[in-house]
Amino acid sequence: MIRYLLRRVGISLITVAGLALVVFLVVRILPGDAAAARLGPEASPEDIEALRAKLGLDQPLIVQLGDYLWGLLHGDLGLAVSTGRPVADELFARLPATIELAVAGLLVALVIGFPLGMLAASRRGRASDAIARVFAVLGSSMAPVWLGLLLIFGLYSVARIFPGPVGRLPIGMPPPEHITGMYVLDGLLTGNFAATGEALRYLALPALTLGLGASAAVLKMVRSAMIATAESGFVRTARAYGVPGREILWRDQLRNAMLQVLTAIGLVFGFLLGGNVIVERLFSWPGMGRVAYDALGSNDLELLQGYALIIGVIYIALNFAVDLLYGVIDPRIRLGGRSS
Amino acid sequence: MFPPRRRIYASAALALTGLIALSACSAGDSGESGDDGTKKPLVISLDSSVDILDPQAWRTPASMVTTGSLVEQLIEQTYTASGDLVQIGTADGFDPALAESFEYSEDGKVLTLKLREGLTFQDGSPLTADDVVWTFQRGLEGPGYIKVLYPMVGITSADQFVALDDLTVQITTPFATPLLPKMLAMQPFGILSHESGEANATDDDPWAGDWFRENDNSSGPYTVSSYDPTTSITLTPNESYYDQDSIMNSGVTIQFVSDPAQRALLLQSGEIDLAQGLPLDQVAELEDVDGLTVVSEDSNRLEYLGFNTSIAPFDDPTVRQAIAKALPYDTFVSDVLYGYAKPSTGIVPSGMVTHSDEAGEFTQNLDEARALLEEAGVGEFSTTLSFKQSSAVETRAAVFIQSALAELGITVEVTPLPDAEFTQRTNARELPMYLNNFLGWGADPFYQMKSLVGSGAGTNFTTYANEDLDALIQSGFETSDEAEREAISAEAQSVIYDEMPMVPIWNPDWTFVVRDGVSGLTKDNTEQLRLQYLTKE
Amino acid sequence: MTRLSIESLSVEVESSGARILDDVSLTIGAGEIVGLVGESGSGKSMTSLATMGILPRGLRATSGRFLVDGIDVTDAANRSVSSRFAMIFQNPRDSLNPLMRVGAQIARMVSLHQGLDRKAAQAEAVDLLGRVHIADPAAAARKYPHQLSGGMCQRVMVAMALACRPSLLIADEPTTALDVTVQAQILDLIVELVEQTGCGVLLVTHDLGVVAETCDRVNVLYRGDLVEHGATAEVFANPQHEYTRYLLESGRELEVGDGAA
């Protein structure tokens, strides 16, 4: 187990290093001059050159890469060209919002996708399976924007069940005391239940938008994992020995299916974190996705770099966490063992 | 064999119900916090978010509105009413603000302003002439870009600002110019605290650019009570402001809503009181909605089709004139802007002083256009039309332009560009033909013309350079005699019309949509709101 | 007493109606080991699955009765528990839950079939592991399937079968996936079991050597039809059906090259 973990850690670190390099290079290929964009159309060429020099944008690529890597090791992601604030501040201030939304979206995806996936597996070949799979196709092909607009129209504009797309809290409500930056959690931890309640209400629509799309993926993966385990040898043994169906489901099928589904959940979560950009913009959700969107428009290299790096690192960390969980759940990994 | 799915759904439903119940307990608690019985707070949403609080270095229009509320200017434009909801700044009337009086020398080159007594910043420190001088010097030499405005009034050195005593400031210009008071009334010329600047200056940052970006020591009607760059900024009245009665509300919150369509939705549901930057087709629909009013005034903002006069065939003025004759000006107003614009009246719009009708007309006449093109000896050719892809209006207009020019045998490839790329390539003077817009502050015709077609001007993307024209415009700057200014301006407009380095195509209206009961919208010569006058019943 | 009697079992593919088994009948007496041989595709595995009541999806028994110790159990809901069947499979490790310790898996069957509480069931599981000659059964009970060899896993399966106190044990290719030496051990174990408990065994295999070693009687399946049956020695010495003759001749060669998987 230890060796397994160490190996995973090593691979993760190498991946992060590679990511940093790739991010750096890709971002520099984008057209558009960040210094000119920052200073605006009134700026003189001299001022633009001065800013470029100040930001180190006129240095050879190798020098810029060296500065960048050095800064990374010190936790310095540079200064955002467009606002002058440190990139780390800009992004980490908004990270909790993105994480909160991604977690909520994941929960929605699991709550919808898991039971439906199990249902489809158990009713394989029958009507409910077909319906579930049609739902899966629809869910994964619906553009989040369209779905989001539909939900806003139906559940806010018309039915007034959920609040409008102003962000994480009602206009004028101060956020709860900052502990994690996730309002639902912070509200609970500080006894500010009003804030938790409102945060949940405002989370609902964007989480539904994200989650419905992702639930299709969860549904398919749960379904196929359950079908695969249903056809496995040990399930056959259990059936042969008359173990009750319910027990087979939970003890034999689900636990073994989880191994496959876990990887998928990690992937889905990573996607939700990165695919937030459009949904954040639609719902005025103040997360990292919006920053990235604006950074793209103003060609803020530093911000884009930082964003890509952070999302990449989160993804790598997620994969590592999934590997870790594997190690915990699967005794074949945890204990090693003979192959014959 | 498999468990009744009822059980699974039951538990999920239970969890969901629990969540909704928890949120229902707390719903609808955050009310408005109006402290005064009669004055109400407002929530507004503009076309951009607030990112920088330095009045001399902001980037977005919402920042300009906000920073303008955190500082007070020396003088202010006089307003006249236009309907019940709007006040418009007059062209050359000025009222005292921080300065209780001001006086010109005989020759008009020296302006002396006397500050009121007892003025303070929000932190209680006194506001004196020294702060005024420091602020203007900072504008000239500091981190912002308002320094480009100073040469327009002939200010090139910091020692043209002098503090005669604690309450008296003197500004000396090489020529008398009506542009000076207009500038002094603009938001970026509000007064900052010298003390705050010094206390927060560093070797790298002698003008405290970093501090002013995030902080304020207000001399204006408001202070920042809460600011989250990702969500909103809330301004509350500044207790140290010298004229409390002129603040018509108990505070303003600017909510950053990134999607314009969602902004409209929030306006309709009553969550915000005023919205700017809504898609114009939605504005047209909102005219019929009860409870909402559309405010729309003439504006000096100019949308133009620019040429790069260094790239053939746009180096030939006849070709440029031909194109100018081919464009569907009325169609732009009706189909692209849904009526919320005025058709082109020239580089100096008809609402701006010294506008001359004699310069030339902007109407579509395809026969004349073809004739001109033939005269130029240019056959069919292809070119590209570039613009910011974030602009829905320009996207629509580009299509009309493309089909209009197709009638002349000109094949236009429509190329929307990401905003930053568009900025970079126009700055580099790379684009042959492009759509852009410009708002000249101060509603000053010479400022307008110099910025757009003056040789080497930062916002002149046409590379057009005409020394004689430059001299003519400069003489206009340096004259304060009205009749002379009119004559010079008229001549310059004629030259520009004949040369046509760019085609002014429309003036988009200054448009807001407000809930009934909201009034006090002010349109000064920067065409941005002054928040203190917003009123809600 | 006849432990198992299968009468006229027919199985077909639901969608196409293709016949997998056609009117197959056989009996197994107490203490008897009866072989069911045939090549792959003959339907021998389907016979055992049909008997257990766990035919795979898409297959259906169109006719047939099953009698256990003389009682008709054809319509019984849970044939294994009610009728005291047990089964062991070809790939023993695949037949065990990789996430559960083997002791727990056996204990589960003990609880189910003998009604004991958890602690008693666990003790019984260790005991059963001892009965199948696993060294240090207490330690073995705590292991996971991947930590045991193929042979050990098959012993575990036998222990699990014992937990049911079966009247009938169906062994579907129990040694095919094992080493030659281990094969012998497992077969010995099965024989020992039969002597101790008096249960019947249906031994399904394609390996004639195994049949020769252990089976009292043998049934030969060819494409769903039962073509020959009788005492092993007689059938081997004097095959009546052509297919049986063919099997005997090629089987020997098959056996040599075949062996442990």
Side-chain angles (χ1 to χ4, degrees):
Chain A
M1 175 77 159
I2 299 290
R3 261 184 40 202
Y4 169 75
L5 273 185
L6 283 180
R7 216 173 59 222
R8 301 310 304 161
V9 169
I11 291 178
S12 300
L13 286 178
I14 294 175
T15 316
V16 170
L19 170 71
L21 183 64
V22 170
V23 163
F24 173 83
L25 288 174
V26 168
V27 159
R28 294 239 166 344
I29 297 178
L30 292 175
D33 186 332
R38 174 167 176 190
L39 293 178
E42 309 273 341
S44 65
E46 296 86 42
D47 284 343
I48 296 180
E49 274 313 303
L51 183 59
R52 290 186 53 120
K54 184 171 161 209
L55 296 173
L57 291 177
D58 56 347
Q59 304 275 30
L61 218 56
I62 287 292
V63 175
Q64 286 191 49
L65 178 60
D67 287 341
Y68 164 70
L69 289 174
W70 183 247
L72 274 187
L73 287 172
H74 290 82
D76 175 13
L77 292 167
L79 291 178
V81 174
S82 47
T83 59
R85 292 197 196 95
V87 168
D89 289 356
E90 295 269 15
L91 291 176
F92 285 119
R94 293 165 168 87
L95 185 60
T98 293
I99 291 183
E100 192 170 38
L101 182 56
V103 169
L106 183 66
L107 283 176
V108 168
L110 290 176
V111 163
I112 296 178
F114 228 100
L116 281 182
M118 287 177 62
L119 176 71
S122 72
R123 300 273 186 276
R124 179 156 65 129
R126 308 227 283 266
S128 22
D129 179 25
I131 292 175
R133 280 156 69 203
V134 166
F135 169 77
V137 169
L138 276 181
S140 46
S141 44
M142 254 198 290
V145 174
W146 190 76
L147 179 60
L149 286 173
L150 208 63
L151 288 173
I152 292 176
F153 177 70
L155 298 178
Y156 164 61
S157 236
V158 170
R160 293 298 160 116
I161 299 178
F162 289 111
V166 289
R168 304 172 72 188
L169 288 173
I171 296 178
M173 178 182 245
E177 203 183 310
H178 179 105
I179 303 180
T180 62
M182 290 183 255
Y183 294 166
V184 175
L185 208 55
D186 287 351
L188 284 175
L189 291 173
T190 58
N192 185 348
F193 298 119
T196 296
E198 289 296 323
L200 281 171
R201 287 183 66 226
Y202 279 78
L203 251 182
L205 286 183
L208 264 176
T209 306
L210 274 182
L212 274 174
S215 70
V218 171
L219 189 160
K220 280 192 285 197
M221 287 181 264
V222 167
R223 179 182 178 275
S224 68
M226 291 299 282
I227 289 176
T229 51
E231 291 164 0
S232 64
F234 53 90
V235 168
R236 182 187 49 184
T237 304
R239 288 175 66 205
Y241 280 74
V243 178
R246 195 172 307 152
E247 193 185 324
I248 296 185
L249 190 74
W250 292 107
R251 266 185 115 176
D252 297 280
Q253 282 195 274
L254 254 186
R255 281 175 59 184
N256 281 278
M258 274 318 286
L259 291 176
Q260 299 175 42
V261 178
L262 212 56
T263 317
I265 289 181
L267 275 173
V268 167
F269 192 51
F271 165 75
L272 288 178
L273 278 173
N276 265 347
V277 178
I278 303 285
V279 171
E280 282 189 14
R281 191 181 140 78
L282 186 63
F283 287 92
S284 294
W285 197 262
M288 284 204 322
R290 248 176 76 190
V291 174
Y293 189 90
D294 294 338
L296 203 58
S298 56
N299 233 85
D300 192 330
L301 290 180
E302 302 286 319
L303 214 47
L304 284 172
Q305 219 167 260
Y307 172 75
L309 200 58
I310 291 180
I311 290 283
V313 167
I314 290 179
Y315 212 118
I316 293 170
L318 259 178
N319 274 303
F320 178 72
V322 167
D323 288 338
L324 200 66
L325 266 175
Y326 257 97
V328 165
I329 294 180
D330 191 341
R332 289 168 287 194
I333 296 176
R334 185 164 21 115
L335 300 171
R338 330 155 51 147
S339 48
S340 90
Chain B
M1 262 310 171
F2 289 79
R5 57 190 183 284
R6 278 180 260 122
R7 266 184 81 202
I8 301 172
Y9 281 139
S11 20
L14 206 64
L16 211 61
T17 315
L19 282 176
I20 295 179
L22 179 61
S23 64
C25 293
S26 53
D29 243 10
S30 53
E32 301 184 332
S33 54
D35 54 50
D36 194 298
T38 49
K39 293 187 190 175
K40 299 251 180 67
L42 284 106
V43 179
I44 70 177
S45 187
L46 303 176
D47 62 2
S48 45
S49 64
V50 175
D51 58 352
I52 294 175
L53 299 184
D54 184 339
Q56 297 179 341
W58 48 262
R59 279 188 326 137
T60 66
S63 285
M64 183 183 191
V65 170
T66 304
T67 58
S69 304
L70 300 176
V71 292
E72 183 78 348
Q73 296 75 33
L74 291 176
I75 55 180
E76 197 178 345
Q77 279 184 287
T78 313
Y79 294 106
T80 57
S82 165
D84 292 327
L85 305 183
V86 179
Q87 300 272 345
I88 306 212
T90 58
D92 45 19
F94 296 96
D95 291 333
L98 287 182
E100 63 178 9
S101 68
F102 52 98
E103 211 179 332
Y104 283 95
S105 62
E106 278 263 349
D107 57 8
K109 298 186 194 176
V110 182
L111 176 62
T112 311
L113 304 113
K114 199 141 179 15
L115 293 173
R116 293 169 199 266
E117 284 193 29
L119 291 171
T120 63
F121 290 97
Q122 174 207 354
D123 68 352
S125 59
L127 194 161
T128 65
D130 170 67
D131 295 297
V132 177
V133 169
W134 182 82
T135 301
F136 291 160
Q137 289 175 339
R138 182 177 189 271
L140 185 61
E141 297 171 9
Y145 54 83
I146 65 165
K147 56 171 68 92
V148 299
L149 296 176
Y150 288 77
M152 307 254 183
V153 295
I155 296 180
T156 48
S157 146
D159 49 15
Q160 287 171 264
F161 308 107
V162 175
L164 293 181
D165 58 47
D166 269 353
L167 295 179
T168 317
V169 178
Q170 199 171 74
I171 305 178
T172 312
T173 55
F175 47 84
T177 164
L179 190 53
L180 180 61
K182 291 183 188 180
M183 268 173 48
L184 294 177
M186 293 182 193
Q187 287 94 332
F189 285 84
I191 306 305
L192 296 168
S193 161
H194 186 179
E195 229 180 82
S196 296
E198 246 179 46
N200 295 286
T202 66
D203 288 334
D204 274 339
D205 182 20
W207 296 99
D210 285 344
W211 189 86
F212 279 107
R213 188 187 299 126
E214 321 249 325
N215 301 282
D216 66 297
N217 182 3
S218 176
S219 60
Y222 293 97
T223 65
V224 178
S225 72
S226 78
Y227 175 37
D228 179 346
T230 66
T231 337
S232 63
I233 184 169
T234 300
L235 302 170
T236 49
N238 175 8
E239 281 159 22
S240 309
Y241 189 63
Y242 68 95
D243 188 3
Q244 295 290 328
D245 290 337
S246 69
I247 304 178
M248 305 304 287
N249 52 63
S250 63
V252 178
T253 300
I254 303 179
Q255 191 78 12
F256 313 142
V257 180
S258 37
D259 189 306
Q262 301 310 319
R263 219 178 286 149
L265 196 62
L266 293 168
L267 183 69
Q268 285 182 273
S269 66
E271 299 218 30
I272 59 178
D273 302 307
L274 177 152
Q276 183 196 27
L278 302 183
L280 292 174
D281 51 343
Q282 279 197 289
V283 173
E285 282 172 23
L286 293 176
E287 295 260 17
D288 298 326
V289 170
D290 278 336
L292 295 180
T293 310
V294 175
V295 168
S296 193
E297 299 283 333
D298 289 354
S299 163
N300 286 323
R301 181 175 291 277
L302 180 67
E303 180 82 24
Y304 63 89
L305 178 70
F307 302 109
N308 188 324
T309 58
S310 311
I311 301 179
F314 301 120
D315 52 352
D316 182 347
T318 319
V319 172
R320 307 196 292 257
Q321 285 177 355
I323 293 179
K325 284 260 183 273
L327 302 176
Y329 298 99
D330 292 325
T331 312
F332 290 140
V333 172
S334 61
D335 292 15
V336 173
L337 295 133
Y338 301 97
Y340 294 99
K342 303 292 175 292
S344 171
T345 47
I347 194 167
V348 174
S350 57
M352 198 181 279
V353 292
T354 75
H355 165 78
S356 156
D357 282 330
E358 312 295 315
E361 268 190 345
F362 290 86
T363 48
Q364 183 183 38
N365 188 326
L366 288 172
D367 293 326
E368 274 188 47
R370 285 193 204 99
L372 280 168
L373 212 53
E374 253 193 70
E375 189 189 311
V378 165
E380 305 189 345
F381 65 92
S382 324
T383 185
T384 59
L385 175 58
S386 316
F387 50 91
K388 286 188 180 172
Q389 74 186 20
S390 63
S391 168
V393 164
E394 286 174 349
T395 307
R396 284 198 295 276
V399 176
F400 286 105
I401 296 174
Q402 179 188 46
S403 54
L405 294 187
E407 302 274 342
L408 297 184
I410 303 176
T411 314
V412 172
E413 186 192 331
V414 169
T415 46
L417 297 173
D419 290 15
E421 193 183 334
F422 179 80
T423 306
Q424 182 234 343
R425 295 180 69 184
T426 44
N427 281 354
R429 275 70 178 170
E430 270 176 33
L431 303 169
M433 198 167 73
Y434 49 91
L435 284 170
N436 209 343
N437 69 69
F438 177 76
L439 174 65
W441 296 347
D444 183 287
F446 300 106
Y447 179 117
Q448 181 94 339
M449 289 189 281
K450 175 167 181 171
S451 303
L452 288 171
V453 298
S455 313
T459 38
N460 174 3
F461 303 114
T462 65
T463 74
Y464 180 75
N466 181 334
E467 279 185 12
D468 294 330
L469 182 61
D470 293 338
L472 185 60
I473 295 175
Q474 189 60 26
S475 69
F477 270 116
E478 300 180 5
T479 317
S480 52
D481 176 271
E482 274 192 42
E484 253 190 78
R485 285 170 66 89
E486 270 201 49
I488 295 173
S489 177
E491 196 186 325
Q493 289 173 57
S494 275
V495 170
I496 295 172
Y497 184 89
D498 292 334
E499 294 283 290
M500 201 68 78
M502 53 154 69
V503 186
I505 47 182
W506 70 70
N507 297 96
D509 287 346
W510 185 84
T511 309
F512 290 85
V513 187
V514 302
R515 295 201 61 79
D516 286 349
V518 171
S519 60
L521 287 81
T522 49
K523 177 170 168 289
D524 63 14
N525 63 27
T526 61
E527 301 204 3
Q528 297 296 346
L529 292 175
R530 302 261 175 172
L531 298 176
Q532 70 190 97
Y533 300 114
L534 288 177
T535 315
K536 179 169 161 178
E537 273 157 38
Chain C
M1 117 161 90
T2 310
R3 285 300 190 187
L4 173 68
S5 177
I6 301 176
E7 293 178 7
S8 302
L9 173 64
S10 295
V11 171
E12 70 176 20
V13 179
E14 265 180 3
S15 49
S16 62
R19 285 253 162 161
I20 304 290
L21 289 173
D22 196 3
D23 201 31
V24 172
S25 303
L26 56 87
T27 57
I28 303 176
E32 262 200 314
I33 300 180
V34 174
L36 181 61
V37 298
E39 294 171 305
S40 25
S42 55
K44 54 188 197 299
S45 285
M46 291 307 144
T47 312
S48 52
L49 293 180
T51 308
M52 295 293 293
I54 53 170
L55 276 176
R57 293 177 70 98
L59 293 182
R60 186 171 56 136
T62 53
S63 70
R65 287 208 312 155
F66 301 93
L67 290 99
V68 175
D69 294 342
I71 305 169
D72 190 328
V73 299
T74 316
D75 298 322
N78 195 336
R79 271 190 220 152
S80 170
V81 174
S82 50
S83 343
R84 315 226 315 213
F85 284 175
M87 189 164 173
I88 61 179
F89 301 92
Q90 178 171 350
N91 278 307
R93 195 180 290 113
D94 287 352
S95 306
L96 292 169
N97 187 333
L99 300 186
M100 274 174 76
R101 299 178 204 269
V102 300
Q105 296 190 49
I106 299 175
R108 177 159 76 150
M109 302 310 178
V110 171
S111 290
L112 190 59
H113 288 252
Q114 297 183 28
L116 297 180
D117 70 34
R118 226 182 98 193
K119 277 197 90 170
Q122 279 171 354
E124 173 74 4
V126 173
D127 194 56
L128 287 169
L129 284 172
R131 273 180 66 185
V132 296
H133 307 306
I134 287 183
D136 196 357
R142 296 189 50 70
K143 293 234 193 282
Y144 289 94
H146 74 277
Q147 295 174 295
L148 303 172
S149 71
M152 301 254 297
C153 283
Q154 195 62 292
R155 289 179 194 272
V156 168
M157 288 301 302
V158 175
M160 205 184 284
L162 280 177
C164 303
R165 304 225 203 96
S167 304
L168 181 75
L169 173 68
I170 303 180
D172 191 339
E173 307 270 14
T175 55
T176 309
L178 302 174
D179 283 342
V180 181
T181 41
V182 180
Q183 274 186 25
Q185 292 171 7
I186 298 295
L187 290 174
D188 287 344
L189 187 60
I190 293 177
V191 169
E192 186 189 321
L193 244 159
V194 169
E195 282 166 10
Q196 279 178 10
T197 65
C199 66
V201 174
L202 178 64
L203 182 58
V204 178
T205 180
H206 68 276
D207 187 338
L208 293 170
V210 168
V211 172
E213 290 261 340
T214 52
C215 297
D216 303 311
R217 289 189 297 117
V218 63
N219 296 278
V220 181
L221 260 187
Y222 174 63
R223 297 235 189 119
D225 286 313
L226 198 60
V227 299
E228 185 154 0
H229 61 98
T232 312
E234 266 206 42
V235 172
F236 273 45
N238 222 352
Q240 299 292 318
H241 196 273
E242 268 179 49
Y243 179 66
T244 316
R245 264 178 253 142
Y246 160 72
L247 263 190
L248 284 169
E249 274 154 39
S250 52
R252 304 240 163 82
E253 281 142 23
L254 250 161
E255 186 201 341
V256 169
D258 209 16

